[in-house]
């Protein structure tokens, strides 16, 4: 072959490779969102809410697996603001997690551009403000990640897709609610429940067709039961995991949790109640929406369908029926159960006990007797810039202690690629809800009383569900396994927002001493700097 022909061949190969590389890059999605105050009357009384692009709740963020998101958030509130992307793993990228341990809040009349990828995920998630009590008055919305066309999901494409944001609601402003907590008191009981920010809404469908309902509990405090009059609901996905597809009459959805169901409109054509009601509360709050058959001539009528027995045991037994579909594809074309979590021996066990102590005469919430306090400098920035005095790696014990309750900026040290057993011990009389940013985890066991090593006999080591938020029943424990494959500073918190605000949270520092872009991205060039990080150079 002549030199000229060889040169042409090499140029052709390089050209093909370059085109292939360009085409192989995942799609980018660009958004500009503006957060403002606005007035709404979700409970019939005009009150101030937080709008995103003029919408309450905020716009639905629809993505496809591996989409890259470039989202410019403009803060027009009178307070600093952050949005967190609840359930998005932020692979190698805790810089974009949107919580005070990783990000400086966006000042009023300023902006920040989030850059993250929905890497290897499919499912129903949410976003919401992580700052102050902003979540109590809006700023939240649905975040749905759809499968790429080359990845089959274990159900036929539904004829429609609805997102339902359910949650408890206060008529009181977020600033007044914050003042209650700052004064050392607990929040009062909520005023009511909302579905998609409303007391009344309608979802339309054709008889004989099947629709997906994506249900998320975006409230502050209460477990909510969800049901649809006269219709069975097929559970297909929970926070990114495809599950064994059982039929249910109703679901308990705990604070911060999401799930997806399929409903076939196989009943006589009329209108039916969609119902959400609080669980385990002395006063039961109930709100309804309408499932309207398009050929219906009959308005919704009759009593609202009753919820399940007001017993923790009923809820616990339902939770144990949520199982991983091991033969289903995940976001990548491999079975979900190909990683045999049950055959791995954890490197160590961490037991975290929640409590509700009074400290200096004020109500606080604690983990292993330590109530978390936000420093003026995000932990992630302090770690990156080696700023001393912001946090300590021995600020909290990995087992419950009899020590007097105290205030501290608690951080748990961990190593990249550790495989942890974490036990949430709840000695209180109320349901707890725990969330871990940056990960999903296997919920391997629920049990009553105090967890002991012998409790491992109750674990499901075959097809336990993976999710990002798990409940812990009163006077009970919940155990999880988590594979620490995502380097960064990650928030482990109560999803019950007043408990989080008053200290029921820690950060998990997943660390590798050798810097590598294979493990974690560099600090963003547009990173906001505050506290002791002011003046540093990203």
């Amino acid at each position: 072959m002549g030199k000229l022909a060889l040169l042409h061949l090499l140029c052709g190969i390089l050209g093909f490779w370059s085109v292939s590389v360009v085409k192989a890059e995942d799609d980018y999605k660009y958004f500009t969102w503006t957060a403002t105050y606005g007035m709404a009357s979700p409970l019939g009384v005009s009150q101030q809410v937080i709008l995103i692009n003029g919408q309450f709740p905020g716009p639905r963020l629809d993505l496809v697996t591996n989409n890259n998101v470039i989202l410019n958030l403009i803060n027009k509130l009178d307070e600093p603001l952050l949005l967190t992307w609840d359930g998005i793993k932020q692979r190698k990228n805790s810089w974009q997690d949107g919580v005070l341990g990783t990000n400086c809040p966006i000042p009023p009349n300023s902006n920040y551009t989030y850059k993250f990828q929905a890497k290897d995920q499919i499912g129903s998630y949410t976003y919401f403000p992580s700052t102050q009590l902003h979540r109590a008055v809006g700023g939240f919305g649905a975040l749905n990640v759809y499968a790429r066309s080359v990845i089959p999901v274990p159900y036929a494409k539904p004829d429609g897709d609805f997102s339902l944001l359910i949650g408890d609601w206060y008529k009181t402003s977020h600033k007044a609610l914050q003042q209650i907590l700052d004064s050392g008191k607990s929040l009062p009981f909520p005023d009511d429940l909302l579905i998609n920010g409303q007391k009344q809404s309608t979802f339309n469908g054709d008889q004989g067709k099947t629709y997906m309902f994506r249900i998320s509990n975006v409230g502050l405090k209460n477990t909510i039961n969800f049901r649809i009059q006269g219709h069975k609901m097929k559970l297909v996905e929970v926070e990114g995991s495809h599950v064994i597809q059982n039929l249910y009459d109703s679901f308990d959805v705990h604070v911060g949790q999401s799930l997806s169901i399929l409903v076939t409109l196989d009943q006589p054509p009329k209108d039916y109640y969609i119902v959400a009601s609080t669980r385990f509360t002395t006063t039961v709050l109930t709100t309804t929406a309408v499932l309207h058959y398009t050929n219906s001539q009959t308005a919704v009528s009759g009593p609202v369908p009753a919820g399940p027995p007001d017993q923790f045991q009923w809820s616990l037994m339902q939770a144990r029926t949520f199982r991983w579909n091991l033969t289903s594809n995940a976001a990548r074309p491999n079975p979900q159960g190909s990683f045999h979590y049950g055959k791995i021996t954890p490197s160590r066990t961490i037991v975290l006990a929640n409590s509700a102590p009074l400290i200096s005469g004020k109500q606080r919430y604690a983990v292993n007797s330590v109530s978390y306090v936000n420093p003026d400098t995000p932990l992630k920035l302090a770690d990156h810039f080696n700023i001393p005095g912001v946090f300590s790696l021995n600020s909290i014990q990995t087992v419950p202690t009899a020590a007097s309750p105290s205030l501290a900026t608690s951080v748990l040290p961990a190593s990249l690629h550790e495989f942890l057993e974490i036990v949430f011990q709840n000695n209180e009389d109320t349901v707890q809800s725990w969330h871990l940013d940056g990960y999903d985890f296997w919920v391997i066991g629920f049990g009553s009383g105090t967890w002991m090593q012998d409790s491992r006999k109750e674990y499901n080591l075959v097809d336990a569900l993976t999710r990002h938020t798990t409940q812990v029943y009163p006077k009970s424990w919940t155990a999880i396994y988590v594979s620490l494959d995502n380097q960064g500073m990650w928030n482990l918190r109560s999803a019950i927002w007043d408990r989080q605000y008053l200290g029921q949270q820690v950060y998990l520092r997943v660390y590798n001493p050798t810097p590598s872009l294979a493990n974690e991205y560099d600090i963003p060039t547009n990173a906001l700097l505050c506290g002791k990080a002011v003046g540093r150079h990203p």
Side-chain angles (χ1 to χ4, degrees):
M1 181 181 294
K3 290 184 179 180
L4 184 59
L6 180 61
L7 180 61
H8 281 298
L9 177 62
L10 289 173
C11 288
I13 292 172
L14 289 173
F16 172 78
W17 280 354
S18 65
V19 170
S20 298
V21 168
V22 170
K23 287 186 177 179
E25 188 171 19
D26 295 301
D27 287 346
Y28 278 75
K29 301 293 183 181
Y30 296 88
F31 305 90
T32 297
W33 285 4
T34 302
T36 60
Y37 290 125
M39 301 304 294
S41 303
L43 297 181
V45 177
S46 183
Q47 65 180 114
Q48 188 182 70
V49 298
I50 293 176
L51 309 174
I52 303 292
N53 285 2
Q55 299 179 43
F56 166 71
R60 194 170 98 171
L61 186 56
D62 285 340
L63 305 174
V64 173
T65 300
N66 290 352
N67 276 172
N68 293 284
V69 176
I70 310 295
L71 190 148
N72 180 28
L73 178 61
I74 302 168
N75 178 19
K76 290 294 185 179
L77 307 184
D78 58 356
E79 297 177 312
L81 175 69
L82 282 173
L83 292 183
T84 190
W85 317 96
D86 210 39
I88 299 302
K89 294 180 185 178
Q90 304 289 2
R91 298 292 303 171
K92 305 190 295 183
N93 200 19
S94 65
W95 302 108
Q96 308 292 345
D97 197 28
V99 290
L100 289 174
T102 57
N103 296 93
C104 295
I106 306 167
N109 296 312
S110 187
N111 74 296
Y112 176 73
T113 300
Y114 289 92
K115 301 176 183 178
F116 62 88
Q117 186 178 26
K119 179 68 173 172
D120 293 336
Q121 290 186 259
I122 302 170
S124 304
Y125 308 98
T126 60
Y127 63 86
F128 61 84
S130 65
T131 39
Q132 307 299 339
L133 267 290
H134 293 139
R135 175 175 171 175
V137 292
F140 50 74
L143 196 170
N144 300 330
V145 183
Y146 295 87
R148 291 174 291 169
S149 59
V150 296
I151 304 295
V153 293
Y155 48 84
K157 184 178 180 180
D159 296 295
D161 190 312
F162 304 113
S163 292
L164 281 72
L165 305 173
I166 59 177
D168 45 30
W169 188 260
Y170 292 87
K171 297 176 185 176
T172 310
S173 73
H174 72 283
K175 293 181 180 179
L177 293 174
Q178 185 176 323
Q179 287 175 353
I180 292 172
L181 295 178
D182 290 342
S183 71
K185 301 176 183 177
S186 300
L187 288 183
F189 191 66
D191 293 302
D192 214 330
L193 301 182
L194 300 178
I195 298 176
N196 288 349
Q198 303 176 68
K199 279 295 290 179
Q200 295 181 335
S201 53
T202 300
F203 300 87
N204 299 307
D206 297 333
Q207 189 175 26
K209 292 186 177 180
T210 298
Y211 297 86
M212 175 171 280
F213 289 77
R214 300 171 182 269
I215 301 140
S216 299
N217 186 337
V218 296
L220 295 187
K221 292 177 66 72
N222 290 288
T223 297
I224 294 174
N225 183 265
F226 179 86
R227 50 201 183 271
I228 301 177
Q229 182 184 24
H231 290 74
K232 294 287 187 179
M233 300 179 291
K234 181 185 289 185
L235 183 66
V236 295
E237 178 261 334
V238 175
E239 293 165 17
S241 289
H242 293 132
V243 298
I244 300 298
Q245 296 178 10
N246 294 319
L247 294 173
Y248 297 85
D249 294 316
S250 71
F251 292 99
D252 278 353
V253 187
H254 303 275
V255 181
Q257 294 185 345
S258 298
L259 53 83
S260 299
I261 60 174
L262 293 177
V263 179
T264 299
L265 275 56
D266 55 4
Q267 297 301 303
K270 64 174 201 172
D271 292 356
Y272 296 86
Y273 283 115
I274 295 173
V275 187
S277 60
T278 56
R279 295 280 277 148
F280 321 124
T281 56
T282 303
T283 300
V284 177
L285 300 176
T286 300
T287 193
T288 62
V290 173
L291 174 58
H292 172 71
Y293 281 51
T294 52
N295 58 340
S296 167
Q297 301 297 320
T298 307
V300 68
S301 62
V304 173
D310 192 31
Q311 300 170 353
F312 294 113
Q313 187 66 20
W314 184 95
S315 186
L316 170 62
M317 294 305 292
Q318 181 182 79
R320 286 176 172 162
T321 68
F322 292 2
R323 299 297 181 105
W324 217 13
N325 183 345
L326 300 181
T327 61
S328 168
N329 282 342
R332 291 181 291 179
N334 60 294
Q336 292 194 116
S338 60
F339 185 89
H340 297 292
Y341 72 95
K343 298 180 180 179
I344 300 174
T345 300
S347 54
R348 58 191 171 119
T349 300
I350 296 174
V351 181
L352 301 176
N354 51 271
S355 58
L358 294 178
I359 300 179
S360 300
K362 292 186 175 184
Q363 179 67 66
R364 296 288 300 185
Y365 297 102
V367 183
N368 289 359
S369 300
V370 179
S371 185
Y372 185 87
V373 177
N374 281 305
D376 63 353
T377 307
L379 308 176
K380 186 64 184 169
L381 293 181
D383 206 21
H384 177 75
F385 292 120
N386 295 313
I387 300 172
V390 175
F391 69 91
S392 168
L393 292 177
N394 59 6
S395 52
I396 185 172
Q397 300 299 310
T398 56
V399 294
T401 71
S404 297
S406 60
L407 303 173
T409 302
S410 36
V411 178
L412 288 166
S415 298
L416 184 64
H417 302 307
E418 270 197 275
F419 190 82
L420 293 184
E421 176 185 43
I422 299 178
V423 178
F424 299 110
Q425 179 67 51
N426 178 17
N427 298 321
E428 298 185 63
D429 293 324
T430 58
V431 177
Q432 302 294 311
S433 188
W434 282 94
H435 169 84
L436 176 60
D437 280 352
Y439 290 92
D440 53 14
F441 46 73
W442 290 269
V443 184
I444 53 175
F446 301 96
S448 59
T450 301
W451 180 88
M452 298 176 289
Q453 292 193 17
D454 203 45
S455 302
R456 295 189 178 110
K457 294 178 181 178
E458 301 179 45
Y459 286 1
N460 173 7
L461 299 181
V462 178
D463 58 356
L465 182 67
T466 64
R467 62 188 312 167
H468 58 67
T469 303
T470 187
Q471 70 273 25
V472 191
Y473 294 99
K475 306 293 186 182
S476 299
W477 55 265
T478 296
I480 68 171
Y481 280 170
V482 58
S483 177
L484 300 184
D485 59 355
N486 196 10
Q487 185 167 315
M489 189 74 72
W490 303 107
N491 193 208
L492 176 58
R493 62 175 178 265
S494 173
I496 300 171
W497 210 244
D498 54 345
R499 297 185 76 100
Q500 177 274 154
Y501 180 81
L502 290 181
Q504 191 174 318
Q505 60 173 313
V506 300
Y507 277 82
L508 192 64
R509 180 185 185 247
V510 181
Y511 183 69
N512 186 324
T514 304
S516 170
L517 290 177
N519 296 330
E520 186 173 25
Y521 298 141
D522 281 336
I523 182 173
T525 57
N526 67 330
L528 300 176
L529 302 178
C530 55
K532 296 183 176 67
V534 171
R536 311 275 178 153
H537 296 286

